Amino acid sequence: MWSLSQSNSTSAGMGLTAVIFLLVLASRHQPTAGVGHDPLLVVDDYEDGGIRLKCLSERLFSEAQLLWTDSRGDNITGTPLSADTGTAGVSSSIVLKAGSGNSMSCRILDKQLKTSTESSVAIADAFFPSTSPWLAAFVVILLLSIFLVLAAIYKIRSNNKEITRAQNARKQIEQDIDELKRKLDEQKRRFEKENEDAEKRIENVRNELKFRKARSNAVNITLDQTCKHPNLCISDDKRRVKSSDKKETALKAMVVATEGFPDKKHYWEVEVGNQSQWELGVVSENVRDVIMNNMGISPPVNGLFSLQYSQGKYILTGREDVSDCKQCSVVGVLLDVESSELSFYNVEEMSPLGSVVLEFTGKLYPFFSPDSSGKWLGVRPVKPQTYDPLPQGEKEINE
């Protein structure tokens, strides 16, 4: 028996690049009388994780049988390539896998001639396809790396989406806050305006109620012919007065009323028209006596309480100018002796012009002082009105 062994020093994993043909010299176990050659073993190709071996015989057999045996001597069934025993040789193939002994024998038996031929081959493990022990780890690491990269990309995209949503939500919240602030500012301004308008209305109602209440104390006033400045002229009905001398004088020309009031409340109205300057008010009984006895002199300041209009301004006795008051044509005067207060009203607007605190003894007498234009300044009759007590709600407003 002839044997052929092959060895290879290359590392595991080296593949064959071409079909390897191994010519194996076979030895006969029994001499034959036939003609031909011994079986030829051919390493064909890689297949199914092993190496396919082919066994070929050019000897002509009238009846032949091909047997495969492994290194342990066990018979293995191969795959016939051709079975024409009349004119052709016998051939078969088998797949040799790593770990099966790495050697294989091919025997051809001629039953008629009682002869047999056999060839063997041994293939080193290096020639078998094998998987590197690091390949699985490499594949696992590669797959894990791909998974981690994909997970990282997904996480980054998710985070970017979350950040974008958070930024959009923040912008929306800021816009909502700005819009809410704007609406609150608008509501605040509207509320302040409504509140201011309501306060003005309440103040107007309060002033109107005070005016109507003051007007309920209306009295008749007549001018005293014997207690006036020589340059003043009194009408026949003793209700109007004007200057007879159009020259301006430094002396205050005035006329005092006949009626004097020691107590209670008294109200009267004076038509001043469009005179450029005038003065209205009350004087004490002592001042009245001085004017009556010395008509040509200026009245004393003490004991005189008035509202003066001059150069577009209202001036109260002992006080600064009265602001935010426009010129009026009719002035209402309320003398409250009990409260020691003298109040003036714009009759057309039913609003107060101001008030003066009184300090006196005896009676108080109304007085009137027109300008030097020669226009009449007169007492307007006021029909006495009955003052009805206010309901509780209006009392609270008035108070």
Side-chain angles (χ1 to χ4, degrees), residues 49-61:
I51 299 175
R52 177 169 288 280
L53 298 177
K54 290 183 178 180
C55 183
L56 306 173
S57 176
E58 295 179 357
R59 180 176 293 180
L60 299 177
F61 293 107

Side-chain angles (χ1 to χ4, degrees), residues 186-368:
E186 290 180 357
Q187 291 181 356
K188 182 180 179 181
R189 288 193 296 270
R190 184 166 57 252
F191 174 77
E192 289 177 351
K193 186 177 183 304
E194 292 176 354
N195 187 45
E196 184 178 352
D197 294 340
E199 289 179 353
K200 287 182 179 179
R201 289 194 298 269
I202 292 174
E203 184 66 21
N204 292 335
V205 171
R206 184 184 292 112
N207 292 334
E208 182 178 351
L209 291 175
K210 286 184 178 180
F211 171 76
R212 293 183 181 278
K213 185 177 180 180
R215 215 168 188 229
S216 65
N217 299 289
V219 294
N220 292 322
I221 299 295
T222 57
L223 306 181
D224 190 352
Q225 186 72 33
T226 62
C227 189
K228 72 177 184 65
H229 193 277
N231 294 335
L232 297 181
C233 177
I234 299 177
S235 63
D236 295 339
D237 59 0
K238 298 181 179 181
R239 291 184 177 275
R240 295 180 297 165
V241 61
K242 68 178 180 177
S243 176
S244 58
D245 186 0
K246 295 185 179 181
K247 295 180 180 180
E248 293 186 3
T249 175
L251 298 177
K252 183 179 296 186
M254 66 172 59
V255 59
V256 181
T258 303
E259 294 80 11
F261 307 106
D263 55 12
K264 298 182 180 180
K265 296 179 181 180
H266 309 277
Y267 175 84
W268 62 93
E269 293 179 354
V270 183
E271 292 181 345
V272 296
N274 58 354
Q275 293 191 24
S276 59
Q277 60 182 10
W278 43 261
E279 188 172 5
L280 306 173
V282 295
V283 294
S284 65
E285 192 170 359
N286 293 334
V287 174
R288 177 179 179 275
D289 293 340
V290 171
I291 295 173
M292 183 177 295
N293 297 326
N294 302 281
M295 294 183 180
I297 66 173
S298 177
V301 176
N302 294 332
L304 187 148
F305 311 97
S306 66
L307 172 67
Q308 181 181 357
Y309 179 79
S310 177
Q311 298 179 352
K313 296 180 180 181
Y314 292 99
I315 303 174
L316 293 168
T317 300
R319 296 184 59 183
E320 300 292 333
D321 300 344
V322 178
S323 59
D324 300 331
C325 292
K326 62 180 182 180
Q327 184 179 6
C328 57
S329 60
V330 181
V331 179
V333 183
L334 174 65
L335 173 61
D336 188 352
V337 180
E338 297 175 354
S339 300
S340 299
E341 185 178 35
L342 180 67
S343 302
F344 299 92
Y345 295 89
N346 182 338
V347 176
E348 296 171 336
E349 299 288 337
M350 292 185 291
S351 61
L353 294 174
S355 60
V356 178
V357 177
L358 303 176
E359 295 180 0
F360 68 99
T361 57
K363 294 182 179 181
L364 292 173
Y365 294 82
F367 81 89
F368 310 88

